[in-house]
PDB file of all heavy atoms in Angstrom:
ATOM      1  N   ASN A1268      93.688 132.879  92.751  1.00 98.00           N
ATOM      2  CA  ASN A1268      94.410 133.900  91.977  1.00 98.00           C
ATOM      3  C   ASN A1268      95.915 133.817  92.179  1.00 98.00           C
ATOM      4  O   ASN A1268      96.628 134.805  92.034  1.00 98.00           O
ATOM      5  CB  ASN A1268      93.904 135.304  92.332  1.00 98.00           C
ATOM      6  CG  ASN A1268      94.203 135.681  93.786  1.00 98.00           C
ATOM      7  OD1 ASN A1268      94.921 134.972  94.499  1.00 98.00           O
ATOM      8  ND2 ASN A1268      93.657 136.801  94.232  1.00 98.00           N
ATOM      9  N   GLY A1269      96.410 132.623  92.523  1.00 98.00           N
ATOM     10  CA  GLY A1269      97.840 132.442  92.732  1.00 98.00           C
ATOM     11  C   GLY A1269      98.270 132.660  94.162  1.00 98.00           C
ATOM     12  O   GLY A1269      99.132 131.942  94.670  1.00 98.00           O
ATOM     13  N   ILE A1270      97.708 133.647  94.849  1.00 97.00           N
ATOM     14  CA  ILE A1270      98.102 133.929  96.234  1.00 97.00           C
ATOM     15  C   ILE A1270      97.075 133.420  97.232  1.00 97.00           C
ATOM     16  O   ILE A1270      97.435 132.888  98.275  1.00 97.00           O
ATOM     17  CB  ILE A1270      98.384 135.436  96.459  1.00 97.00           C
ATOM     18  CG1 ILE A1270      99.051 135.651  97.808  1.00 97.00           C
ATOM     19  CG2 ILE A1270      97.138 136.259  96.293  1.00 97.00           C
ATOM     20  CD1 ILE A1270     100.409 135.038  97.948  1.00 97.00           C
ATOM     21  N   PHE A1489     109.748 137.222  96.020  1.00 68.00           N
ATOM     22  CA  PHE A1489     108.898 136.779  94.919  1.00 68.00           C
ATOM     23  C   PHE A1489     107.429 136.906  95.270  1.00 68.00           C
ATOM     24  O   PHE A1489     106.559 136.647  94.452  1.00 68.00           O
ATOM     25  CB  PHE A1489     109.201 135.323  94.547  1.00 68.00           C
ATOM     26  CG  PHE A1489     109.125 134.371  95.707  1.00 68.00           C
ATOM     27  CD1 PHE A1489     107.934 133.765  96.031  1.00 68.00           C
ATOM     28  CD2 PHE A1489     110.234 134.105  96.478  1.00 68.00           C
ATOM     29  CE1 PHE A1489     107.848 132.897  97.113  1.00 68.00           C
ATOM     30  CE2 PHE A1489     110.165 133.238  97.556  1.00 68.00           C
ATOM     31  CZ  PHE A1489     108.976 132.630  97.870  1.00 68.00           C
ATOM     32  N   VAL A1490     107.132 137.304  96.524  1.00 72.00           N
ATOM     33  CA  VAL A1490     105.763 137.499  96.971  1.00 72.00           C
ATOM     34  C   VAL A1490     105.533 138.988  97.192  1.00 72.00           C
ATOM     35  O   VAL A1490     106.317 139.651  97.863  1.00 72.00           O
ATOM     36  CB  VAL A1490     105.478 136.722  98.271  1.00 72.00           C
ATOM     37  CG1 VAL A1490     104.058 136.996  98.753  1.00 72.00           C
ATOM     38  CG2 VAL A1490     105.695 135.236  98.068  1.00 72.00           C
ATOM     39  N   SER A1491     104.479 139.517  96.612  1.00 71.00           N
ATOM     40  CA  SER A1491     104.149 140.921  96.817  1.00 71.00           C
ATOM     41  C   SER A1491     103.876 141.177  98.294  1.00 71.00           C
ATOM     42  O   SER A1491     103.460 140.276  99.031  1.00 71.00           O
ATOM     43  CB  SER A1491     102.918 141.293  95.985  1.00 71.00           C
ATOM     44  OG  SER A1491     103.171 141.127  94.611  1.00 71.00           O
ATOM     45  N   SER A1550      98.753 130.316  89.278  1.00 98.00           N
ATOM     46  CA  SER A1550     100.080 130.892  89.050  1.00 98.00           C
ATOM     47  C   SER A1550      99.964 132.355  88.671  1.00 98.00           C
ATOM     48  O   SER A1550      99.278 132.699  87.709  1.00 98.00           O
ATOM     49  CB  SER A1550     100.819 130.127  87.946  1.00 98.00           C
ATOM     50  OG  SER A1550     102.152 130.593  87.839  1.00 98.00           O
ATOM     51  N   ARG A1551     100.643 133.183  89.430  1.00 94.00           N
ATOM     52  CA  ARG A1551     100.582 134.617  89.177  1.00 94.00           C
ATOM     53  C   ARG A1551     101.868 135.255  89.687  1.00 94.00           C
ATOM     54  O   ARG A1551     102.356 134.925  90.772  1.00 94.00           O
ATOM     55  CB  ARG A1551      99.378 135.206  89.913  1.00 94.00           C
ATOM     56  CG  ARG A1551      98.817 136.457  89.338  1.00 94.00           C
ATOM     57  CD  ARG A1551      98.149 136.183  87.995  1.00 94.00           C
ATOM     58  NE  ARG A1551      97.100 135.181  88.105  1.00 94.00           N
ATOM     59  CZ  ARG A1551      95.869 135.439  88.542  1.00 94.00           C
ATOM     60  NH1 ARG A1551      95.540 136.655  88.926  1.00 94.00           N
ATOM     61  NH2 ARG A1551      94.965 134.488  88.587  1.00 94.00           N
ATOM     62  N   ARG A1552     102.462 136.153  88.930  1.00 96.00           N
ATOM     63  CA  ARG A1552     103.634 136.885  89.436  1.00 96.00           C
ATOM     64  C   ARG A1552     103.253 137.643  90.706  1.00 96.00           C
ATOM     65  O   ARG A1552     102.139 138.130  90.849  1.00 96.00           O
ATOM     66  CB  ARG A1552     104.157 137.866  88.398  1.00 96.00           C
ATOM     67  CG  ARG A1552     104.724 137.222  87.170  1.00 96.00           C
ATOM     68  CD  ARG A1552     105.561 138.186  86.354  1.00 96.00           C
ATOM     69  NE  ARG A1552     106.914 138.302  86.869  1.00 96.00           N
ATOM     70  CZ  ARG A1552     107.866 139.040  86.295  1.00 96.00           C
ATOM     71  NH1 ARG A1552     107.568 139.758  85.214  1.00 96.00           N
ATOM     72  NH2 ARG A1552     109.084 139.085  86.794  1.00 96.00           N
ATOM     73  N   GLY A1553     104.187 137.704  91.632  1.00 93.00           N
ATOM     74  CA  GLY A1553     103.896 138.293  92.926  1.00 93.00           C
ATOM     75  C   GLY A1553     103.368 137.298  93.923  1.00 93.00           C
ATOM     76  O   GLY A1553     103.045 137.662  95.060  1.00 93.00           O
ATOM     77  N   ALA A1554     103.300 136.029  93.522  1.00 96.00           N
ATOM     78  CA  ALA A1554     102.855 134.943  94.404  1.00 96.00           C
ATOM     79  C   ALA A1554     103.839 133.784  94.264  1.00 96.00           C
ATOM     80  O   ALA A1554     104.562 133.684  93.266  1.00 96.00           O
ATOM     81  CB  ALA A1554     101.451 134.490  94.039  1.00 96.00           C
ATOM     82  N   PRO A1555     103.895 132.887  95.235  1.00 97.00           N
ATOM     83  CA  PRO A1555     104.733 131.696  95.073  1.00 97.00           C
ATOM     84  C   PRO A1555     104.274 130.876  93.876  1.00 97.00           C
ATOM     85  O   PRO A1555     103.107 130.946  93.473  1.00 97.00           O
ATOM     86  CB  PRO A1555     104.512 130.929  96.385  1.00 97.00           C
ATOM     87  CG  PRO A1555     104.073 131.967  97.366  1.00 97.00           C
ATOM     88  CD  PRO A1555     103.261 132.940  96.559  1.00 97.00           C
ATOM     89  N   LEU A1596     103.334 133.423  79.232  1.00 98.00           N
ATOM     90  CA  LEU A1596     104.676 133.586  79.780  1.00 98.00           C
ATOM     91  C   LEU A1596     104.677 134.397  81.064  1.00 98.00           C
ATOM     92  O   LEU A1596     105.444 134.105  81.989  1.00 98.00           O
ATOM     93  CB  LEU A1596     105.586 134.267  78.751  1.00 98.00           C
ATOM     94  CG  LEU A1596     105.816 133.532  77.428  1.00 98.00           C
ATOM     95  CD1 LEU A1596     106.792 134.324  76.567  1.00 98.00           C
ATOM     96  CD2 LEU A1596     106.348 132.127  77.660  1.00 98.00           C
ATOM     97  N   GLU A1597     103.855 135.431  81.128  1.00 98.00           N
ATOM     98  CA  GLU A1597     103.847 136.295  82.303  1.00 98.00           C
ATOM     99  C   GLU A1597     103.479 135.508  83.550  1.00 98.00           C
ATOM    100  O   GLU A1597     104.123 135.647  84.598  1.00 98.00           O
ATOM    101  CB  GLU A1597     102.866 137.454  82.088  1.00 98.00           C
ATOM    102  CG  GLU A1597     102.756 138.419  83.258  1.00 98.00           C
ATOM    103  CD  GLU A1597     103.976 139.315  83.436  1.00 98.00           C
ATOM    104  OE1 GLU A1597     104.833 139.352  82.527  1.00 98.00           O
ATOM    105  OE2 GLU A1597     104.069 139.971  84.487  1.00 98.00           O
ATOM    106  N   ASP A1598     102.473 134.671  83.463  1.00 97.00           N
ATOM    107  CA  ASP A1598     102.077 133.872  84.620  1.00 97.00           C
ATOM    108  C   ASP A1598     103.135 132.823  84.942  1.00 97.00           C
ATOM    109  O   ASP A1598     103.342 132.479  86.100  1.00 97.00           O
ATOM    110  CB  ASP A1598     100.723 133.218  84.361  1.00 97.00           C
ATOM    111  CG  ASP A1598      99.651 134.246  84.053  1.00 97.00           C
ATOM    112  OD1 ASP A1598      99.543 135.220  84.809  1.00 97.00           O
ATOM    113  OD2 ASP A1598      98.947 134.089  83.045  1.00 97.00           O
ATOM    114  N   GLY A1599     103.824 132.313  83.923  1.00 98.00           N
ATOM    115  CA  GLY A1599     104.893 131.350  84.152  1.00 98.00           C
ATOM    116  C   GLY A1599     106.088 131.948  84.854  1.00 98.00           C
ATOM    117  O   GLY A1599     106.876 131.224  85.482  1.00 98.00           O
ATOM    118  N   LEU A1600     106.249 133.267  84.784  1.00 98.00           N
ATOM    119  CA  LEU A1600     107.384 133.904  85.448  1.00 98.00           C
ATOM    120  C   LEU A1600     107.313 133.788  86.969  1.00 98.00           C
ATOM    121  O   LEU A1600     108.319 134.011  87.648  1.00 98.00           O
ATOM    122  CB  LEU A1600     107.485 135.374  85.036  1.00 98.00           C
ATOM    123  CG  LEU A1600     108.147 135.623  83.673  1.00 98.00           C
ATOM    124  CD1 LEU A1600     107.963 137.062  83.245  1.00 98.00           C
ATOM    125  CD2 LEU A1600     109.628 135.262  83.724  1.00 98.00           C
ATOM    126  N   ALA A1601     106.151 133.445  87.510  1.00 98.00           N
ATOM    127  CA  ALA A1601     106.075 133.194  88.954  1.00 98.00           C
ATOM    128  C   ALA A1601     107.086 132.127  89.365  1.00 98.00           C
ATOM    129  O   ALA A1601     107.716 132.211  90.430  1.00 98.00           O
ATOM    130  CB  ALA A1601     104.661 132.760  89.336  1.00 98.00           C
ATOM    131  N   PHE A1602     107.250 131.119  88.537  1.00 98.00           N
ATOM    132  CA  PHE A1602     108.185 130.031  88.799  1.00 98.00           C
ATOM    133  C   PHE A1602     109.631 130.529  88.746  1.00 98.00           C
ATOM    134  O   PHE A1602     110.442 130.275  89.649  1.00 98.00           O
ATOM    135  CB  PHE A1602     107.957 128.930  87.765  1.00 98.00           C
ATOM    136  CG  PHE A1602     108.713 127.651  87.992  1.00 98.00           C
ATOM    137  CD1 PHE A1602     109.021 127.204  89.266  1.00 98.00           C
ATOM    138  CD2 PHE A1602     109.103 126.872  86.914  1.00 98.00           C
ATOM    139  CE1 PHE A1602     109.701 126.003  89.455  1.00 98.00           C
ATOM    140  CE2 PHE A1602     109.778 125.685  87.087  1.00 98.00           C
ATOM    141  CZ  PHE A1602     110.082 125.250  88.362  1.00 98.00           C
ATOM    142  N   LEU A1603     109.960 131.270  87.707  1.00 98.00           N
ATOM    143  CA  LEU A1603     111.334 131.730  87.530  1.00 98.00           C
ATOM    144  C   LEU A1603     111.689 132.824  88.531  1.00 98.00           C
ATOM    145  O   LEU A1603     112.834 132.904  88.986  1.00 98.00           O
ATOM    146  CB  LEU A1603     111.528 132.214  86.098  1.00 98.00           C
ATOM    147  CG  LEU A1603     111.176 131.184  85.016  1.00 98.00           C
ATOM    148  CD1 LEU A1603     111.477 131.734  83.631  1.00 98.00           C
ATOM    149  CD2 LEU A1603     111.912 129.866  85.238  1.00 98.00           C
ATOM    150  N   ASP A1604     110.717 133.668  88.892  1.00 97.00           N
ATOM    151  CA  ASP A1604     110.959 134.663  89.945  1.00 97.00           C
ATOM    152  C   ASP A1604     111.325 133.979  91.258  1.00 97.00           C
ATOM    153  O   ASP A1604     112.224 134.425  91.987  1.00 97.00           O
ATOM    154  CB  ASP A1604     109.715 135.526  90.161  1.00 97.00           C
ATOM    155  CG  ASP A1604     109.442 136.473  89.008  1.00 97.00           C
ATOM    156  OD1 ASP A1604     110.336 136.682  88.164  1.00 97.00           O
ATOM    157  OD2 ASP A1604     108.308 137.008  88.942  1.00 97.00           O
ATOM    158  N   HIS A1662     111.791 130.037  78.559  1.00 98.00           N
ATOM    159  CA  HIS A1662     111.260 131.402  78.571  1.00 98.00           C
ATOM    160  C   HIS A1662     112.034 132.280  77.589  1.00 98.00           C
ATOM    161  O   HIS A1662     111.436 133.083  76.848  1.00 98.00           O
ATOM    162  CB  HIS A1662     111.321 132.006  79.969  1.00 98.00           C
ATOM    163  CG  HIS A1662     110.679 133.355  80.050  1.00 98.00           C
ATOM    164  ND1 HIS A1662     109.349 133.535  80.307  1.00 98.00           N
ATOM    165  CD2 HIS A1662     111.201 134.606  79.860  1.00 98.00           C
ATOM    166  CE1 HIS A1662     109.060 134.830  80.287  1.00 98.00           C
ATOM    167  NE2 HIS A1662     110.169 135.500  80.011  1.00 98.00           N
ATOM    168  N   PHE A1671     116.059 139.472  79.676  1.00 98.00           N
ATOM    169  CA  PHE A1671     115.913 138.270  80.506  1.00 98.00           C
ATOM    170  C   PHE A1671     117.080 137.316  80.272  1.00 98.00           C
ATOM    171  O   PHE A1671     117.609 136.727  81.219  1.00 98.00           O
ATOM    172  CB  PHE A1671     114.592 137.582  80.182  1.00 98.00           C
ATOM    173  CG  PHE A1671     114.370 136.296  80.925  1.00 98.00           C
ATOM    174  CD1 PHE A1671     113.862 136.300  82.221  1.00 98.00           C
ATOM    175  CD2 PHE A1671     114.690 135.069  80.346  1.00 98.00           C
ATOM    176  CE1 PHE A1671     113.673 135.115  82.922  1.00 98.00           C
ATOM    177  CE2 PHE A1671     114.510 133.884  81.036  1.00 98.00           C
ATOM    178  CZ  PHE A1671     113.995 133.906  82.327  1.00 98.00           C
ATOM    179  N   ARG A1675     118.968 137.051  83.675  1.00 98.00           N
ATOM    180  CA  ARG A1675     118.436 135.919  84.422  1.00 98.00           C
ATOM    181  C   ARG A1675     118.860 134.567  83.828  1.00 98.00           C
ATOM    182  O   ARG A1675     119.447 133.738  84.521  1.00 98.00           O
ATOM    183  CB  ARG A1675     116.899 136.003  84.477  1.00 98.00           C
ATOM    184  CG  ARG A1675     116.386 137.157  85.336  1.00 98.00           C
ATOM    185  CD  ARG A1675     116.501 136.871  86.819  1.00 98.00           C
ATOM    186  NE  ARG A1675     116.032 137.964  87.651  1.00 98.00           N
ATOM    187  CZ  ARG A1675     114.792 138.068  88.137  1.00 98.00           C
ATOM    188  NH1 ARG A1675     113.882 137.173  87.806  1.00 98.00           N
ATOM    189  NH2 ARG A1675     114.457 139.071  88.922  1.00 98.00           N
TER     190      ARG A1675
END
Side-chain angles (χ1 to χ4, degrees):
N1268 65 8
I1270 191 64
F1489 54 89
V1490 177
S1491 298
S1550 187
R1551 205 69 57 81
R1552 294 196 82 177
L1596 298 183
E1597 179 72 11
D1598 302 311
L1600 280 169
F1602 188 32
L1603 304 183
D1604 290 345
H1662 185 88
F1671 177 83
R1675 291 284 179 94

